[in-house]
Amino acid sequence: MAEDKLHIKLHVYDMDISVNVLREDEIYYRRAAKLIDETVNTYAKVFKNRKEIKEILYMSLIDITLRLEKESSRNDTAPFSDILGTLTKEIEDVL
């Protein structure tokens, strides 16, 4: 069965980008484009006439990636799994 794809246009900063996406991923692409657009616009306003657009784009990329990394670390379940494993072993040893 063919995948259900859409051709959409996303506006990011000063550019329209055409992409083919899975229908169920469209909302994520649109949210991502909005986040990028907002972040780049914020940095562009702060550093207007002081930094080149390339540096502003990299700063925005770092900002967004930092948010992603922080969110990923908050959702890391490995420490909980380790503790549960230890507790389970201790309970089994007692029983």
Side-chain angles (χ1 to χ4, degrees):
M1 178 165 71
E3 294 178 346
D4 192 14
K5 290 194 172 187
L6 293 173
H7 180 80
I8 62 173
K9 288 189 181 194
L10 302 172
H11 182 78
V12 178
Y13 188 56
D14 63 351
M15 181 181 294
D16 288 324
I17 302 170
S18 294
V19 291
N20 292 318
V21 302
L22 294 174
R23 185 174 297 276
E24 64 264 18
D25 290 342
E26 177 188 9
I27 187 70
Y28 301 113
Y29 277 88
R30 294 199 184 278
R31 287 178 186 166
K34 182 179 180 188
L35 174 61
I36 294 167
D37 188 56
E38 289 171 352
T39 305
V40 173
N41 283 328
T42 299
Y43 277 100
K45 285 177 188 173
V46 171
F47 294 106
K48 185 177 183 179
N49 300 323
R50 294 190 298 174
K51 303 230 182 249
E52 293 181 26
I53 188 59
K54 183 176 179 180
E55 188 172 357
I56 290 170
L57 292 173
Y58 286 143
M59 292 166 66
S60 299
L61 183 61
I62 290 169
D63 183 302
I64 293 168
T65 305
L66 178 63
R67 293 182 212 180
L68 174 66
E69 288 297 320
K70 284 183 174 182
E71 186 63 29
S72 293
S73 69
R74 279 195 288 264
N75 292 328
D76 183 11
T77 60
F80 300 110
S81 295
D82 293 343
I83 290 170
L84 286 174
T86 302
L87 290 173
T88 301
K89 184 178 179 335
E90 289 177 9
I91 291 169
E92 287 174 349
D93 288 345
V94 170
L95 295 175

